[in-house]
Amino acid sequence: DVKVTQSSRYLVKRTGEKVFLECVQDMDHENMFWYRQDPGLGLRLIYFSYDVKMKEKGDIPEGYSVSREKKERFSLILESASTNQTSMYLCASSPTGGLTKNIQYFGAGTRLSVL
Amino acid sequence: SQQGEEDPQALSIQEGENATMNCSYKTSINNLQWYRQNSGRGLVHLILIRSNEREKHSGRLRVTLDTSKKSSSLLITASRAADTASYFCATPSGTYKYIFGTGTRLKVLA
C-alpha cells in the first residue's frame, strides 16, 4: 500500500512564525503536491514537484515556498505565517507511469491554525 | 481555475438507497477521477474513467462519462452509513496536475 505521511495532524502557530510542513511518500513517486482545503473552496494547488529539486507554482503560491531535496520528501514552508493561512493542508503523490499513472495518493492532512 | 463542479453540494439519504452525484467540467479531457474524503482526513482515489469509456464499475460504484455534455456521474448503490463522506471529481490540468471540484457532501442515515 502506498503511504503518504504528513508530519503533524494538528499544528498551532503564531503570526509571523516560520512553519514547516513535511510530507514523505514511500512509493518512489515522481510527482508530489501540496494543496490547501478551505470550506466552500475545495482543494487548491499551492505547489507541485515533478522531480527532485524541481517545482512549479500552483494556483495559490503566494506566501508559500517548497523544497524537494530527496525524491520521497516534499516540504511546504510558510515563511511568515499569517492568520489567513489557517487551513487544512494536504500532501499527495502520484506516479508518472504504470497502472496507477496520475492517481494521487493523499496524506491524512495537517490542520494548521495561525493565531 | 475551477474545472469540475459537483452537484448537488449536499445530499442526505437513507441507508440502502442509491446516491447519485454529478460533475460538470468545461474543457476537453482524456480522463476523469473520483475521490472520497472522510471527515477531517485525506482523499482516497475511487475510480478513473478514460474519455473512450462511457461507464465503469467498481463494487457498488458506477461512474459514467459523457464527453459530449462534459459531465460525469457517480452512483453509489445500496448505500451504507460508512459511505458518509465528501466526494470529489478531478479533471486533468496539464500533464500531471488535476483540478478538484468543491465536492458533494453525502450523509447516509442509518
Side-chain angles (χ1 to χ4, degrees), chain B residues 29-99:
Chain B
I29 57 172
N30 58 17
N31 70 84
L32 182 145
Q33 299 186 43
W34 285 91
Y35 288 78
R36 183 188 76 226
Q37 184 182 33
N38 290 88
S39 182
R41 308 296 294 185
L43 279 72
V44 174
H45 173 79
L46 294 175
I47 203 161
L48 181 151
I49 186 165
R50 302 190 193 287
S51 57
N52 60 355
E53 298 173 307
R54 292 188 62 81
E55 192 171 307
K56 200 163 180 180
H57 296 254
S58 176
R60 293 183 297 111
L61 306 180
R62 173 180 163 244
V63 167
T64 63
L65 181 63
D66 187 334
T67 52
S68 66
K69 293 182 179 176
K70 292 188 170 57
S71 69
S72 174
S73 68
L74 169 67
L75 168 69
I76 304 172
T77 60
S79 62
R80 306 166 181 167
D83 295 326
T84 294
S86 292
Y87 292 83
F88 297 84
C89 66
T91 49
S93 169
T95 308
Y96 304 121
K97 294 184 290 185
Y98 279 73
I99 296 177

Side-chain angles (χ1 to χ4, degrees), chain A residues 38-99:
Chain A
D38 301 287
L41 297 178
L43 273 74
R44 291 180 292 167
L45 182 65
I46 304 172
Y47 266 99
F48 157 61
S49 170
Y50 52 90
D51 202 349
V52 176
K53 295 191 189 297
M54 306 305 288
K55 62 186 179 187
E56 199 173 293
K57 291 180 181 178
D59 298 319
I60 50 163
E62 297 79 18
Y64 303 94
S65 62
V66 289
S67 172
R68 193 159 179 210
E69 296 297 315
K70 293 185 178 181
K71 192 174 186 180
E72 67 270 19
R73 188 180 295 271
F74 192 35
S75 304
L76 179 70
I77 303 152
L78 286 66
E79 296 290 342
S80 177
S82 65
T83 54
N84 63 12
Q85 292 178 310
T86 291
S87 187
M88 172 73 129
Y89 289 87
L90 292 164
C91 174
S93 70
S94 73
T96 54
L99 292 174

